[in-house]
Amino acid sequence: MNDLALLLTPEGRALLDEVRDTAPADELAVATRLRRDHPAELVSAALGQARLRQRAAAKFGAADAGRMFFTPNGVEQSTRAGVAAHRAERFKHLGVTSVADLCCGIGGDAVAFARAGIRVLAVDRDPVTAAVARANAEALGLGELVEVREADVTEVDTGGYDAVFVDPARRGGRGRIFDPEAYSPPLSWAIEAARRAPRAALKVAPGIPHEAVPADAEAEWISDGGDVKEAVVWFGTEPGLVRATLLPGPRTLLGKGLPDPEVRPVGRYLYEPDGAVIRAHLVAEVAEHLDGGLIDPTIAYVTANELRPTPYASAYEISDQLPFNVKRLKALLRERGVGTLTVKKRGSAVEPEELRRKVKPQGPNAATVFLTRVAGAPTMLIGAPATPPAATALP
């Protein structure tokens, strides 16, 4: 709290601007020089904040990160700006004009809500975190739309708001928490709070079991740039609906309740569904569009003989299908002059780096090898990325 207070002074803000681009290797020399004219505590706080802002640029963009304030946990746990903006737009589309943001952290989601024109009550029980959230709303010119309150979220009356958003803490003293009832507050409390509101969204870990999603809720899995970031349990939308959303875009795939695709021999093309599609159990919807099937009943790779465009899977043209054998793979790669080798795996215990060390790829060409199972047998599929023809993809 004292560090933040120092940084919010005119001297602190000026010092933050001065150390903005300081490289880690230069911190000691910069600190030594600045301490001649500034208090050591302020110099340390400014350099620490500059380091956090540099880390946060990947989530918030350099422009916002360069004006915001962060804590180490805040950088780690905050929502990526693009994901928060997508959620805010969904709320706006649902007619939400005010939201209670419970467990608001450093205010990443509150900022997105406010930028969508939604009035926000942002609540966090940690005094430092609440102070940082308040500073961020002010720094980004959103103070009139964001009220920050330091309080226990279980004691806050949300009755006057169109929606509730809850982002329970999913990390403890021993790291990431996987049991939803060990969240803070527990998922069961968040669900009851959501049911009392006209609209609600609960941010949860993407690994949440489907059976843990209430029957009266919608479940959305979100990836950004191909990386699965989170799952969201929505109330007041369409109960039972499952969707996978890919950012940027967004492109959203809705579940149809299809049965598992049939298993068939490996065809000319292999499709690797996006992680959000896999987490949402919507591989069957992608396979239907591609007129494809699975290579194994337990593996989320889709095979097909035709190359079709889809934003929900990456396509590869397969040239070889071999039983798993490192020596045979090494010989094949040497014969084809493959020096750039991408190793992907699903259903294999072999680590990509371990395989790369053993085959020692050399040469001007590139290839992708999939370590997987085909009809239960350990298999290597060798191929290269394929570019689908321009056509209408899934909506």
Side-chain angles (χ1 to χ4, degrees):
M1 183 73 82
N2 189 50
D3 281 358
L4 180 62
L6 290 171
L7 294 173
L8 291 175
T9 64
E11 183 182 9
R13 292 180 184 276
L15 200 56
L16 274 173
D17 288 339
E18 186 172 347
V19 302
R20 177 191 304 271
D21 299 319
T22 302
D26 298 331
E27 283 188 4
L28 181 57
V30 171
T32 301
R33 174 175 58 80
L34 292 176
R35 282 172 182 158
R36 297 171 189 155
D37 302 307
H38 304 279
E41 186 179 11
L42 175 58
V43 172
S44 178
L47 285 170
Q49 190 60 223
R51 194 181 314 122
L52 291 173
R53 285 178 168 183
Q54 290 169 9
R55 285 174 51 196
K59 278 190 173 183
F60 292 90
D64 280 356
R67 292 186 290 164
M68 293 173 69
F69 297 87
F70 300 96
T71 63
N73 284 341
V75 173
E76 182 71 25
Q77 299 178 27
S78 57
T79 304
R80 186 175 289 264
V83 177
H86 162 70
R87 180 164 37 245
E89 285 301 316
R90 278 207 69 186
F91 266 133
K92 183 179 179 180
H93 181 74
L94 290 167
V96 170
T97 62
S98 62
V99 61
D101 178 0
L102 308 182
C103 309
C104 69
I106 62 167
D109 281 284
V111 163
F113 292 138
R115 282 180 167 164
I118 299 172
R119 181 171 57 87
V120 188
L121 170 64
V123 183
D124 203 285
R125 68 181 180 183
D126 180 72
V128 175
T129 303
V132 170
R134 188 176 296 110
N136 285 335
E138 295 292 341
L140 298 177
L142 301 167
E144 291 187 2
L145 280 171
V146 180
E147 174 195 348
V148 179
R149 187 180 303 173
E150 179 193 330
D152 185 329
V153 297
T154 64
E155 300 174 358
V156 173
D157 180 10
T158 62
Y161 294 86
D162 297 338
V164 166
F165 172 63
V166 189
D167 181 6
R170 297 186 301 282
R171 287 183 181 272
R174 297 184 179 180
R176 195 178 300 274
I177 296 171
F178 297 97
D179 177 8
E181 284 308 295
Y183 291 174
S184 180
L187 182 60
S188 57
W189 178 88
I191 289 171
E192 290 309 310
R195 284 173 172 154
R196 292 193 295 270
R199 312 276 190 189
L202 313 179
K203 176 180 171 180
V204 295
I208 184 173
H210 280 234
E211 56 269 24
V213 177
D216 57 339
E218 171 199 324
E220 178 182 28
W221 277 262
I222 302 174
S223 68
D224 187 13
D227 295 328
V228 183
K229 293 302 179 184
E230 63 182 58
V232 186
V233 179
W234 291 88
F235 290 83
T237 54
E238 187 172 340
L241 181 66
V242 175
R243 68 171 71 203
T245 297
L246 280 58
L247 302 174
R251 300 303 297 267
T252 297
L253 178 64
L254 302 181
K256 300 178 181 179
L258 299 178
D260 290 341
E262 64 176 6
V263 176
R264 63 174 67 171
V266 176
R268 182 175 177 183
Y269 297 102
L270 187 76
Y271 292 86
E272 181 183 29
D274 183 89
V277 171
I278 295 173
R279 292 282 194 176
H281 296 179
L282 299 182
V283 174
E285 280 72 4
V286 172
E288 180 187 57
H289 171 73
L290 298 171
D291 191 22
L294 298 180
I295 64 171
D296 184 278
T298 64
I299 303 295
Y301 283 137
V302 176
T303 186
N305 288 315
E306 183 181 344
L307 185 59
R308 295 184 181 180
T310 173
Y312 303 111
S314 300
Y316 296 83
E317 186 169 9
I318 300 302
S319 58
D320 300 88
Q321 177 180 341
L322 306 169
F324 180 77
N325 185 298
V326 175
K327 288 184 178 180
R328 192 170 176 185
L329 177 64
K330 184 176 182 179
L332 184 146
L333 297 176
R334 185 187 301 116
E335 175 187 324
R336 297 182 183 175
V338 173
T340 302
L341 181 65
T342 301
V343 182
K344 294 177 172 286
K345 72 165 194 168
R346 187 161 292 156
S348 171
V350 179
E351 291 300 325
E353 285 306 316
E354 175 189 352
L355 180 70
R356 200 175 280 108
R357 283 194 302 269
K358 289 181 177 179
V359 299
K360 300 176 183 177
Q362 291 182 333
N365 299 321
T368 300
V369 59
F370 294 87
L371 306 178
T372 187
R373 292 194 305 272
V374 173
T379 302
M380 303 182 298
L381 301 175
I382 296 105
T387 303
T392 303
L394 279 167

